[in-house]
Amino acid sequence: MGRHRDHPSALLPLLPLLRAQLRGSRTPLLRILGWAAVEAVPPLLSGLLLATAADHGFLVGRPLAGCGWLTLLGLALLLRGWAARAAFPHVAAVVEPLRDALVRQVVEAALSRPVADPAEVARLTEQVESVRQLTATLLRTLRGVGVSLVGALLGLALLAPAVLPLVLLPLAAGGLLFARLLRPLVRRRRALVLAEERVAAEAAQALAGVRDIAACAAGPRVAAAVGEAVLAQGEAARALGRATALRSLAVALGGRLPVLLVVAAAPWLVTHHWLTAGEVLGVLAYLTQQLEPAVRTLSGAAGGWLPQLAVTVDRLAATATGPEPRHPAEPAASAEQAGGAEQAGTLRAQGLCYAHGPAAAPVLTGLDLTLGPGEHLAVVGASGAGKSTLASLLAGLITPDHGTVTLSGVPLHTLAAADRAARVALVPQQAYLFAGTVRENLDWLNPGVDPTPAIELLGAAPLVARLGGLDAELADPDALSAGERQLLTLVRSYLSPAPVVLLDEAGCHLDPAAEARVEAAFAARPGSLVVIAHRIASALRADRVLLLDGGTALTALHGDLQVLSPLYRELVGHWLDSGVSGHRPPGGDTPSATPNTPADTPDATSAALPTVLQS
């Protein structure tokens, strides 16, 4: 998607993708060519029959003979119509399987990404439909154009070879000019497609957050952003229009100039017996009825539809590629190289500031955080303190107003979505499963990996067995409970290649014992773990605790944080009153990760917690 081609070879990206799908359509393609040969007969005969009708019929006083030759021409045109109709089913036999194969390819590739965007899938399938329509139109149009050009040139060669220089030289000049114009056409068509995608993205974001925009008084800023995208789209459309208008020069050279040259030379050619009057009529018929319309149509197809097809297929080729599968223990391959001196796997936030709008109070102000490889951090705070916002910032899904978030020295928000998701996995509260087998849902982020060890480790084996095993179909994922969906989603995220995992209340629908087992498994997994806690037990299991309070943040060991923060003492006090405080002594020692310890099974704990912590 970031590639840029501004030369005629920009048409080449469509060739591998289309060739792979058209390889199985050789039989219908050969039949299309066969019917095209039949269609070429009437254009080939048209000028010859007109010249014969004139020279051996009407001009020598034999009108019946002339009408007979014209009748033959009419029958030939009927043959062309019949051949064109017979070729249509074979065009469909090429185009429809192409559309089906492309739909499967782009949807499977989009869903194989760590973060699947339904809007992206919709856009890709819309582009596939454009490819289908453009391919069908080009097959029909170029077949007819090729038939007309070949028939006209062969007919001219048979009827009046003397005029070929008057036709071929302007035709070649027009072709060269058009080839030069193809470069800006492809470049500006691509710019228009990108501008249209930007408008769609800006408008979709604005519509999705219209209430928040109104609440934060962000209307003018959002309107300016959408307006800027619309203006850029308009300028791209005008630039494409200017480049398209220049095609008329190529049409004038290749299609109309030969007619003028032949008309100008006709008296001399007839006087010197190079041509007869009937042959002049036949030549003009070839030029005006076959050659000029074919050149005009070819200019429109190659200058309009072909660049559009090239750009659309190029966009599909750039986005229809899934991530390379990697084992969860492997870190992102290029992270250390891209990050320079930063230690590989270090997640760092510096001077992080964020507000939901220009008139809104900051959610985070000057937050600094460093999470080393293998470290386990819990984030706690009152409802609305910015825990989920921090998770989105750390995942690179939203851009901070000020400050940076880097992983191994690489700013996350600058990475492409697939690259970013391969480094940081954000598991939200709302679990997502799709219709398919249990195995397909679990190895979605890392195709081909064996999910069995992770299923056992996270305690999902009874659920998978109840569903019928790994190859059982999940026809309706919504039939599962929220906790069951969360557990399967957590297994899938555990198998992700990302070295950093963010659990944003991802176990809120699990019982405390199951959530403890899940967190212990993720903590032992190679890489780093951030848990947005909705139970204080999650904070007790972490190496460090990050407390969010009114836009500020305080990070310390559990025991130190009890001394430093009255708010944290108040939150923990409710937990201590539940009678299970003996599991972790003051001072911040790391608790046992064994799931069956008392601290991991405080069924009454969450009920005793303050509402602000559970939300």
Side-chain angles (χ1 to χ4, degrees), residues 57-93:
F58 298 109
L59 294 179
V60 295
R62 300 174 58 190
L64 290 179
C67 289
W69 292 112
L70 293 181
T71 301
L72 288 177
L73 177 58
L75 292 176
L77 293 177
L78 289 177
L79 174 66
R80 182 177 186 179
W82 176 71
R85 181 180 182 278
F88 264 73
H90 305 300
V91 173

Side-chain angles (χ1 to χ4, degrees), residues 512 516 537-538 540-541 575 580 583-584 591-592 595-602 605:
S538 295
L540 297 178
R541 287 188 287 265
W575 183 78
V580 290
H583 174 64
R584 181 170 185 164
S592 169
N596 295 323
T597 55
D600 293 322
T601 56
T605 301

Side-chain angles (χ1 to χ4, degrees), residues 335 338-340 342-343 346 406-411:
E342 181 74 79
Q343 183 182 4
T346 298
T406 61
L407 177 62
S408 303
V410 181

Side-chain angles (χ1 to χ4, degrees), residues 340-600:
E342 181 74 79
Q343 183 182 4
T346 298
L347 182 67
R348 187 185 302 276
Q350 293 179 306
L352 211 57
C353 298
Y354 185 81
H356 292 301
V363 179
L364 298 171
T365 305
L367 185 144
D368 292 322
L369 174 67
T370 299
L371 187 69
E375 193 170 0
H376 179 183
L377 176 74
V379 181
V380 300
S383 177
K387 300 187 295 296
S388 292
T389 299
L390 176 61
S392 297
L393 287 165
L394 294 179
L397 298 182
I398 58 177
T399 304
D401 296 333
H402 300 287
T404 59
V405 178
T406 61
L407 177 62
S408 303
V410 181
L412 285 174
H413 71 276
T414 64
L415 296 175
D419 294 335
R420 184 173 61 241
R423 290 163 169 77
V424 180
L426 172 62
V427 188
Q429 179 178 349
Q430 297 299 324
Y432 170 74
L433 299 174
F434 53 87
T437 66
V438 175
R439 186 188 305 274
E440 289 170 341
N441 273 274
L442 296 184
D443 70 359
W444 178 22
L445 303 180
N446 200 353
V449 68
D450 180 14
T452 305
I455 292 172
E456 296 288 345
L457 190 61
L458 274 70
L463 171 59
V464 172
R466 184 178 65 79
L467 294 174
L470 288 172
D471 295 321
E473 288 286 337
L474 287 180
D476 182 15
D478 290 338
L480 301 178
S481 70
E484 290 170 334
R485 292 196 301 271
Q486 266 191 343
L487 188 56
L488 292 179
T489 304
L490 286 162
V491 173
R492 178 171 64 203
S493 301
Y494 183 89
L495 296 170
S496 163
V500 177
V501 175
L502 304 172
L503 302 182
D504 186 6
E505 300 189 15
C508 62
H509 296 297
L510 302 178
D511 61 70
E515 183 180 42
R517 182 170 184 170
V518 165
E519 288 185 13
F522 273 96
R525 174 184 183 271
S528 304
L529 175 64
V530 178
V531 178
I532 308 300
H534 70 108
R535 295 186 178 109
I536 201 65
S538 295
L540 297 178
R541 287 188 287 265
D543 299 330
R544 287 188 299 153
V545 179
L546 171 64
L547 174 66
L548 294 179
D549 180 18
T552 62
L554 183 60
T555 306
L557 298 173
H558 163 70
D560 295 338
L561 201 56
Q562 284 183 301
V563 176
L564 296 172
S565 171
L567 173 61
Y568 191 71
R569 286 198 302 272
E570 179 183 352
L571 297 176
V572 174
H574 289 271
W575 183 78
L576 294 175
D577 291 341
S578 64
V580 290
S581 59
H583 174 64
R584 181 170 185 164
D589 294 335
T590 302
S592 169
T594 304
N596 295 323
T597 55
D600 293 322

Side-chain angles (χ1 to χ4, degrees), residues 174-352:
L176 290 175
L177 175 61
F178 183 78
R180 294 296 300 272
L181 293 175
L182 200 56
R183 173 179 176 174
L185 281 173
V186 173
R187 184 174 66 246
R188 292 175 185 180
R189 171 65 65 179
R190 178 181 290 108
L192 179 59
V193 170
L194 294 175
E196 289 172 347
E197 291 181 2
R198 183 189 171 197
V199 169
E202 294 283 357
Q205 290 180 358
L207 290 175
V210 64
R211 290 195 302 175
D212 293 336
I213 292 170
C216 299
R221 188 173 78 171
V222 174
V226 176
E228 179 185 352
V230 171
L231 290 176
Q233 180 189 10
E235 179 55 35
R238 286 190 292 272
L240 177 62
R242 290 191 293 269
T244 303
L246 295 176
R247 293 183 314 188
S248 59
L249 294 176
V251 175
L253 275 177
R256 294 168 188 160
L257 184 57
V259 177
L260 296 177
L261 294 176
V262 169
V263 169
W268 185 88
L269 293 171
V270 173
T271 301
H272 290 78
H273 305 290
W274 288 96
L275 295 177
T276 65
E279 289 172 342
V280 171
L281 179 62
V283 169
L284 291 177
Y286 279 129
L287 296 181
T288 59
Q289 301 301 316
Q290 307 295 337
L291 184 66
E292 193 276 339
V295 170
R296 187 173 63 250
T297 304
L298 181 62
S299 172
W305 298 331
L306 193 58
Q308 184 177 352
L309 177 62
V311 172
T312 303
V313 175
D314 191 25
R315 300 290 289 156
L316 289 175
T319 54
T321 304
E324 292 292 330
R326 289 195 300 266
H327 190 275
E330 299 179 7
S334 60
E336 185 174 5
Q337 298 173 358
E342 181 74 79
Q343 183 182 4
T346 298
L347 182 67
R348 187 185 302 276
Q350 293 179 306
L352 211 57

